[in-house]
Amino acid sequence: MTLEKDKALRELVLKAALLNALQHGGKAQAGALMGRIIGERQELKTKAKELSGLISKVVNEVNSLSVEEQKRIVEEKWPEALKKEKLEEEKRLPPLPNADKYKQVVTRFSPNPNCVLHLGSARAIILSHEYARLYKGKFLLRFEDTDPKVKKPVLEFYDRIREDLAWLGCKADEEYIQSDRLPIYYEYTERLLREGNAYVCECQPEKFRKKTLSRKACDCRDLPATRNLERWRRMLEGDYAEGEAVVRVKTDLDHPNPAVRDWPALRIIDTEKYPHPRVGSKYRVWPLYNMAAGVDDHLMGVTHVIRGKEHLTNQVRQEYMYKHLGWKYPEAIHYGRLKITGAFLSKSKIVQGIREGAYTGWDDPRLATFAALRKRGITPDAIKKMIVDVGPKTADVTLSWENLYAYNRKILDPQSDRYFFVSESIELKVKHVPKVFKAKLPLHPEKPERGFREYTVTPKREEGVAIFWIAKRDADAAEVGKVIRLMELFNVRIESVNADSVEASFASQAYDEARKAKAKLIHWIPKGEEFPCQVVMPDAAVNEGIAESACKKLKSDTVIQFERFGFVRVDKNDAKLTAYFAHK
Ligand SMILES: [Zn+2]
């Protein structure tokens, strides 16, 4: 029997191909199936060539289906398989609509370079980039810098945005800058005017507003194309002052949403007064958002626009222009608002605060900019994971810093070495230490292979005194008569607690003794092994203290955990260690 006629085998291949396709955004990979099939039907090993032919045939069939169809077949034939896949796939992004209709999926992120990026942009960036990667497509970066007056772009932010994307692992495959493309927008404007689908409106905004609210055309709307083109030429030549003329795209004056009716596409900006940082005073007529973004999405081949649902009306507006130009509007995915409680995300307030010196810079730990997160040791993978888990759903989502910290902790915990940091150090004097102790402190409690920090505690001959530094909060909590354990060293009994020192005497060495006595475990640094250290906290407060001497060798940009304190990122390390606090 040829394999082609083996019905059971064909079903097996079909099932494997469908499940594989659903895992890969609708495109099964033939290469992945061979091993899986032979794993279940050992006897086919000798017929690999024929089997491979069958597989590629089935894969072609499967890949010609839409993701929805693929899902439907699996749901019908093998519902239990889908359940299993779902469990494994829980945290994957849902498939893009109609991805198979396009030769290549193209997504874009289009910031205005008038501020650095912050957590509020994470969703647009990461979803667009992840989907492009998932479908082996293209991810574009487009600077939307066509407002040199109100949302004026700033040169330094173009680079900062590129840096932020690189840090996030979302580098663009192609980059465009709208201020380079004004002649293109002019070309399509002329076409719209010529074909009677747009007009140059000279009405005062207030007068125009009243007209459109009552669903009436203004006097400019029905002027012949020649008159409009004449007005357009005068716009370009500088005959109008700011606000005296605007190009409007014709829509439906009866559209239920007045904001859709004949929306403004281009306006005049006096660039002698408000020069553009890149092109200076070269242009006076500037496209507004829907004109520039709408034309670009089409010309750049964007297949899937992934953005917040506050853009829904923009889609409605742009669809009129697309219809006028005979274009097909891309697939649009509008996700809900993502709020992060406690995160400071107002661009204008960030810019203002920096200008006024309220923040130390773009990476001030109080800000939720990517620069600040990077400085604090928040990893791009944590941000990515959080965003992918939320996905593109339309419902609003509220997350907290704690949510982000939980993702980050999972990444940092296994890879961060442990050290002691004593905040606001207080002297602890321990008497009657019977011998020399060698403390061997693991760099990571679960990974002895990472090595140890070693300290020798040598008591002074008289009374066997050893002196340590401990944190003020531990000193404050110490109670006379109680036992506490110096982690990985020995147990001591508190004898007296003073304002700037604590006295104790050696009690025992074994950890078991501490456990029996329910002793608190505290960290410590032997006197003489301290190294000055400050930790900048998320509220920009500086926590002064000392770190153990093993920290001297830490390189900047290393993330470590100060035990019983939290994860920190080493920022500078010379005569003093400066670290930024990530989270507990
Ligand atoms: Zn008008």
Side-chain angles (χ1 to χ4, degrees):
M1 183 163 85
T2 67
L3 293 189
E4 283 277 5
K5 287 187 183 145
D6 183 342
K7 255 194 169 169
L9 175 64
R10 211 179 182 294
E11 288 286 275
L12 186 65
V13 175
L14 179 65
K15 180 177 171 185
L18 283 165
L19 292 178
N20 187 271
L22 287 176
Q23 273 184 341
H24 296 94
K27 296 286 169 228
Q29 268 113 47
L33 301 182
M34 194 70 176
R36 201 156 163 179
I37 304 296
I38 290 183
E40 290 193 37
R41 298 274 299 263
Q42 298 283 339
E43 80 277 14
L44 296 176
K45 256 187 190 159
T46 53
K47 296 187 176 173
K49 208 174 163 192
E50 207 183 335
L51 177 61
S52 148
L54 174 66
I55 288 177
S56 65
K57 207 172 146 189
V58 174
V59 163
N60 279 341
E61 281 171 32
V62 165
N63 288 356
S64 71
L65 302 172
S66 71
V67 175
E68 285 76 304
E69 284 174 298
Q70 292 169 348
K71 243 196 201 150
R72 196 182 45 75
I73 297 173
V74 176
E75 256 159 13
E76 229 173 77
K77 291 187 138 180
W78 304 286
E80 78 295 339
L82 202 63
K83 257 181 228 149
K84 215 172 96 203
E85 293 291 323
K86 237 184 208 152
L87 276 182
E88 288 163 16
E89 274 198 273
E90 211 157 26
K91 300 299 179 193
R92 298 182 83 106
L93 292 170
L96 282 177
N98 299 318
D100 46 352
K101 281 196 189 151
Y102 301 89
K103 233 187 260 158
Q104 187 183 31
V105 164
V106 180
T107 63
R108 46 83 163 170
F109 170 60
S110 42
N112 179 355
N114 66 337
C115 185
V116 294
L117 298 179
H118 58 50
L119 214 42
S121 308
R123 207 170 185 192
I125 299 168
I126 289 165
L127 290 180
S128 301
H129 178 266
E130 282 294 298
Y131 271 120
R133 230 195 39 187
L134 198 62
Y135 287 91
K136 299 187 174 63
K138 259 194 314 188
F139 170 63
L140 315 182
L141 168 62
R142 183 171 76 215
F143 288 108
E144 298 195 332
D145 58 344
T146 62
D147 183 354
K149 188 176 171 183
V150 181
K151 294 181 176 175
K152 193 182 175 81
V154 178
L155 277 185
E156 77 166 296
F157 297 139
Y158 294 78
D159 269 338
R160 287 191 182 273
I161 288 172
R162 291 179 188 115
E163 275 169 33
D164 284 341
L165 291 186
W167 175 72
L168 274 173
C170 298
K171 264 184 108 164
D173 300 307
E174 281 170 27
E175 182 188 300
Y176 298 91
I177 305 183
Q178 287 187 330
S179 55
D180 285 340
R181 299 169 58 81
L182 265 67
I184 297 172
Y185 309 127
Y186 291 174
E187 185 191 325
Y188 287 96
T189 304
E190 255 174 62
R191 194 176 136 195
L192 288 165
L193 291 168
R194 203 167 49 234
E195 294 172 356
N197 291 317
Y199 56 98
V200 177
C201 176
E202 292 179 354
C203 301
Q204 284 186 328
E206 200 38 44
K207 206 178 123 204
F208 179 84
R209 214 176 63 87
K210 275 191 190 142
K211 286 246 175 196
T212 39
L213 279 179
S214 52
R215 303 169 191 246
K216 285 195 193 100
C218 75
D219 297 338
C220 326
R221 195 180 205 262
D222 294 320
L223 289 178
T226 46
R227 287 285 303 280
N228 273 313
L229 286 167
E230 168 60 21
R231 284 182 175 188
W232 168 244
R233 194 184 52 75
R234 283 171 50 211
M235 271 180 91
L236 293 176
E237 283 171 1
D239 287 357
Y240 294 101
E242 269 186 25
E244 285 181 355
V246 55
V247 177
R248 296 189 177 278
V249 169
K250 285 189 188 171
T251 65
D252 185 349
L253 289 177
D254 283 324
H255 194 281
N257 182 357
V260 170
R261 299 173 200 159
D262 288 15
W263 49 270
L266 300 99
R267 82 311 202 181
I268 290 160
I269 290 175
D270 182 355
T271 40
E272 292 296 332
K273 236 160 121 189
Y274 308 101
H276 189 280
R278 294 186 68 253
V279 292
S281 313
K282 191 171 170 188
Y283 304 105
R284 279 173 58 84
V285 179
W286 287 85
L288 284 142
Y289 172 77
N290 286 298
M291 175 78 200
V295 166
D296 279 351
D297 281 340
H298 175 78
L299 295 182
M300 292 168 190
V302 172
T303 61
H304 291 76
V305 175
I306 302 162
R307 63 185 168 199
K309 64 184 177 190
E310 67 274 14
H311 281 285
L312 272 167
T313 307
N314 286 329
Q315 175 175 354
V316 179
R317 291 188 182 111
Q318 290 175 33
E319 274 169 340
Y320 281 97
M321 180 171 74
Y322 270 66
K323 219 174 141 208
H324 295 325
L325 294 169
W327 297 343
K328 186 196 164 295
Y329 199 76
E331 311 290 333
I333 293 110
H334 292 104
Y335 49 75
R337 223 175 284 275
L338 174 63
K339 269 182 264 168
I340 296 171
T341 47
F344 185 59
L345 297 177
S346 156
K347 272 188 171 191
S348 55
K349 284 194 179 145
I350 292 174
V351 172
Q352 189 191 350
I354 296 274
R355 204 184 305 123
E356 290 170 357
Y359 301 116
T360 52
W362 301 110
D363 55 6
D364 187 293
R366 286 166 288 185
L367 300 174
T369 57
F370 290 131
L373 298 176
R374 182 159 67 224
K375 193 152 196 168
R376 289 176 50 194
I378 307 294
T379 59
D381 284 346
I383 301 172
K384 223 177 210 170
K385 185 112 205 338
M386 181 175 86
I387 296 295
V388 169
D389 280 358
V390 172
K393 57 181 136 208
T394 45
D396 291 347
V397 181
T398 302
L399 295 176
S400 66
W401 280 110
E402 261 320 310
N403 292 118
L404 178 58
Y405 296 162
Y407 283 101
N408 204 50
R409 195 175 294 119
K410 252 188 210 160
I411 294 169
L412 292 184
D413 188 65
Q415 68 189 33
S416 305
D417 285 341
R418 272 55 168 174
Y419 293 96
F420 288 162
F421 166 70
V422 169
S423 163
E424 298 179 87
S425 53
I426 297 280
E427 200 179 88
L428 169 72
K429 188 172 161 190
V430 182
K431 290 181 286 189
H432 311 302
V433 177
K435 58 171 186 156
V436 173
F437 282 87
K438 288 201 171 176
K440 214 174 159 198
L441 304 153
L443 283 170
H444 195 287
E446 283 127 46
K447 298 181 175 180
E449 68 278 10
R450 293 182 81 110
F452 298 85
R453 311 104 72 188
E454 292 181 43
Y455 296 101
T456 305
V457 175
T458 311
K460 277 190 220 146
R461 245 168 268 157
E462 273 156 68
E463 287 194 297
V465 171
I467 298 176
F468 303 88
W469 296 112
I470 60 170
K472 184 171 184 303
R473 67 179 161 118
D474 288 331
D476 288 347
E479 281 175 58
V480 173
K482 286 265 169 74
V483 172
I484 56 175
R485 178 169 179 79
L486 304 183
M487 291 164 75
E488 307 278 338
L489 187 63
F490 51 57
N491 313 316
V492 302
R493 188 176 304 279
I494 304 295
E495 289 183 345
S496 70
V497 179
N498 315 304
D500 53 1
S501 70
V502 174
E503 287 194 15
S505 59
F506 180 87
S508 56
Q509 184 181 1
Y511 171 69
D512 269 357
E513 299 287 326
R515 201 168 45 82
K516 270 185 228 153
K518 293 197 175 108
K520 191 171 165 188
L521 273 63
I522 69 164
H523 61 286
W524 48 275
I525 296 173
K527 194 166 186 182
E529 296 284 0
E530 67 274 10
F531 181 55
C533 175
Q534 60 177 13
V535 180
V536 183
M537 304 305 286
D539 62 359
V542 177
N543 200 327
E544 294 284 350
I546 50 176
E548 61 178 277
S549 60
C551 292
K552 277 182 196 167
K553 64 173 197 323
L554 292 174
K555 296 203 174 71
S556 71
D557 219 26
T558 314
V559 177
I560 56 169
Q561 187 190 40
F562 278 144
E563 292 198 67
R564 303 180 63 231
F565 184 78
F567 292 95
V568 303
R569 179 188 150 276
V570 176
D571 191 54
K572 268 187 290 195
N573 197 4
D574 29 53
K576 181 177 191 174
L577 189 152
T578 301
Y580 278 73
F581 188 79
H583 46 78
K584 289 236 181 227

